[in-house]
Structures are given as C-alpha cells and as structure tokens.
Amino acid sequence: MIDNLEYNTEREHLIIPEYGRHIQKMISYAKSRETKEERNKVAKAIIAVMGNLQPHLRDVPDFQHKLWDQLFIMSNFELDADSPFEKPSQEELMQRPVPLDYPQNFPKYRFYGNNIKTMIDVARTWEEGEMKEALVYTIANHMKKCFLNWNKDTVEDDVIYDHLFELSNGELNIKNSDEDLTDANSLMKASSGKKYSNNKKGHKKNNRNRKRY
C-alpha cells in the first residue's frame, strides 16, 4: 500500500486550483481520447461538472464562455475539442498588459492635495460672475481647512489668498476682498464634530451588546 501513495509534489501542477485535482485528471483523460467525438463528449461532461462546482458564476454574463475558456487553460491549450465559443489564445493570455500611466504630481503645497489644484484649474476657465466668485470662495475655505488639518495652529486669511493667487498663476485674486473666510474654529469644530458623532454611535452600539450580570 505504501508504494501506491501519491504526494502533491509528485502530482501534476494544478493550473486553476479552485477546481481541484479531480477536474484536472478528467481533463487529462479527455486529452488522451483518440477520437474527436470522444473528446467532445468528455469535454461537455467536464463543463457540466465545473458549472456545478462554481454556482456563483451562474449570475456572471457569458457563464458558459468563461467555463470553456478555463477548460482550455487547464489543458495547457492541448485539448483538441470543439467549443461553442472562440478558443482563447495562449499568446494573448500570456501577453503582459500595458502599464498604466500614474500621474506624477509634485505640488508646491502638498497639504492642499491634487484635488485643490484641479478645482483651481476649473475655476480659471469659468466666466466672471457670481457663480465663479462663489466657487473661488468655496475653494479658499477648503484650502483653509486643509491647511488647518496639516497645521493645527490658526492661519490668516491673507496666507490662503496668497497661496490661491500663486496656484492659479495670478488669475484668482481675492486679496482685496472685504469678505472673510470661515472662522478657523468653526472649520475645526465641524471636522471634530463628525468624528465625535460617529464614535458616539459606536459607543451606544457597544453598550447595547454588552453583557449584563
């Protein structure tokens, strides 16, 4: 009996381990059939078993197409059987994807983030008017909030105005405006208030689930 034991290190490599050893052996058996009629018959039986092993795939579009693709992949593309779908190409699957371009932005004031710069660029394209003025002040208030998150000390509005003027290449200028930005305490209070309310809810939930003796 000991001579008949099989170890995983001596077995064939599982290409898609989710289907297990038996499906891999069934595919090897299908590859060994001499006639194409036999191979087609065994391949369809394997597809039926694969579908039962992966019931969550039934809601996936092209469910059968996916199973047939996996069948050929697990056979190392050596199974000569007729498929109702176009057979996958080994060269196409092995081809490395084109690397994505990652935006490399190095802003001067990193504590504002890239989104602020995007908002500023959008505001520069707007026509002069109340809508643009409201947007500029919204951006300035958000810049002030970002500054306070980075530096907990207070910040003068003039500093925000200067940074806004600089980041917009001089196109957004509210230095001489009579309108003030939102008070620093109000901005920080709004941020801390959200955290407090979330913690408070979690605290009540913990009390409700706590055992009483």
Side-chain angles (χ1 to χ4, degrees):
M1 275 185 79
I2 297 179
D3 295 336
N4 295 329
L5 289 177
E6 271 187 315
Y7 294 95
N8 284 334
T9 54
E10 300 173 350
R11 293 175 174 175
E12 184 181 0
H13 173 67
L14 290 178
I15 300 175
I16 304 181
E18 289 80 358
Y19 287 106
R21 179 69 56 185
H22 293 296
I23 292 293
Q24 191 75 45
K25 288 185 175 181
M26 291 170 67
I27 294 174
S28 298
Y29 174 78
K31 289 162 54 177
S32 67
R33 298 298 86 200
E34 295 182 358
T35 65
K36 196 166 191 178
E37 183 180 357
E38 287 183 286
R39 292 193 295 270
N40 289 339
K41 185 177 180 180
V42 177
K44 291 179 180 177
I46 296 173
I47 290 294
V49 177
M50 290 170 61
N52 291 332
L53 292 176
Q54 304 286 347
H56 61 279
L57 291 179
R58 295 186 185 278
D59 297 329
V60 176
D62 298 331
F63 167 66
Q64 289 290 324
H65 195 173
K66 183 179 181 71
L67 293 180
W68 279 97
D69 285 350
Q70 291 177 336
L71 174 65
F72 288 113
I73 292 172
M74 287 189 287
S75 70
N76 280 325
F77 303 91
E78 297 172 357
L79 178 60
D80 183 15
D82 294 328
S83 169
F85 309 98
E86 184 180 356
K87 295 182 181 180
S89 170
Q90 185 176 12
E91 292 75 17
E92 184 178 352
L93 289 176
M94 297 300 293
Q95 185 178 2
R96 297 184 62 182
V98 179
L100 295 175
D101 292 332
Y102 191 82
Q104 299 292 337
N105 296 324
F106 303 98
K108 182 176 181 180
Y109 306 109
R110 295 195 175 189
F111 45 85
Y112 290 133
N114 292 325
N115 289 336
I116 286 290
K117 187 63 173 69
T118 303
M119 293 168 65
I120 291 174
D121 292 338
V122 170
R124 292 167 59 186
T125 63
W126 284 24
E127 295 181 1
E128 297 296 333
E130 293 183 0
M131 292 292 293
K132 180 175 182 178
E133 184 179 357
L135 176 61
V136 171
Y137 274 98
T138 300
I139 294 173
N141 276 313
H142 195 61
M143 290 173 63
K144 187 173 182 178
K145 185 177 179 180
C146 293
F147 191 102
L148 292 171
N149 287 332
W150 169 70
N151 182 4
K152 297 301 181 182
D153 296 334
T154 185
V155 58
E156 298 294 334
D157 291 351
D158 291 339
V159 175
I160 303 298
Y161 296 154
D162 290 339
H163 290 174
L164 178 62
F165 183 81
E166 182 180 355
L167 294 174
S168 64
N169 293 329
E171 295 185 25
L172 302 181
N173 185 6
I174 54 176
K175 295 181 181 181
N176 300 324
S177 175
D178 297 331
E179 186 175 347
D180 296 329
L181 299 179
T182 304
D183 182 70
N185 292 330
S186 300
L187 289 173
M188 297 305 292
K189 194 176 189 180
S191 300
S192 60
K194 280 186 180 179
K195 295 178 182 178
Y196 174 74
S197 61
N198 291 337
N199 291 336
K200 190 175 180 181
K201 289 180 182 178
H203 180 68
K204 286 183 179 179
K205 186 176 180 181
N206 291 336
N207 286 341
R208 187 161 52 248
N209 294 333
R210 186 177 299 168
K211 292 183 178 180
R212 299 180 182 274
Y213 295 96

